[in-house]
Amino acid sequence: VQLQASGGGLVQAGVSLRLSCAASGRTTSNLIMGWFRQAPGKEREFLAAITWGGGMFDYADSVKGRFTISRDNTKSTTYLQMNILGPEDTAVYYCAARTGPLRSSMRYAYWGQGTQVTVSS
């Protein structure tokens, strides 16, 4: 499975941004798609996950209500809608994929290259 993340950029605080993750290769309907981020000097942080069919979601408490994960199966693309961005959201954002249950400690086997989001105050 190959993942290509896009949509990052330099934005001002308070705006919204939507990231995209296009999947290709041996994708299957049992994949779980996830979004993570890693800020400078910090560990990678889980943000959200969604089933391949798009019917079930899971969010980290830190972004619940502000970020929304969604899927477009016709395009094999997963999105992360991020609202009311602040400087604390500055990070490299990664999409990832794995099999298994939606809520699981299983490791993500496939990773995209990351897209930089920088939020200025």
Side-chain angles (χ1 to χ4, degrees), residues 30-74:
N30 64 337
L31 285 177
I32 302 298
M33 303 300 300
W35 282 101
F36 294 76
R37 69 184 177 188
Q38 188 165 20
K42 295 187 177 181
E43 293 188 353
R44 188 167 55 199
E45 174 189 14
F46 167 78
L47 299 176
I50 189 169
T51 54
W52 186 258
M56 297 178 64
F57 330 96
D58 186 28
Y59 291 96
D61 289 341
S62 60
V63 301
K64 196 174 296 183
R66 196 163 60 92
F67 288 9
T68 302
I69 191 170
S70 62
R71 293 251 325 131
D72 183 340
N73 282 331
T74 65

Side-chain angles (χ1 to χ4, degrees), residues 1-5 21-28 31 33 52 71 75-78 95 97 110-112:
V1 177
Q2 292 78 48
L3 303 175
Q4 180 73 37
C21 175
S24 61
R26 300 182 65 179
T27 58
T28 60
L31 285 177
M33 303 300 300
W52 186 258
R71 293 251 325 131
K75 299 179 181 179
S76 294
T77 299
T78 305
C95 61
Y110 310 100
W111 291 85

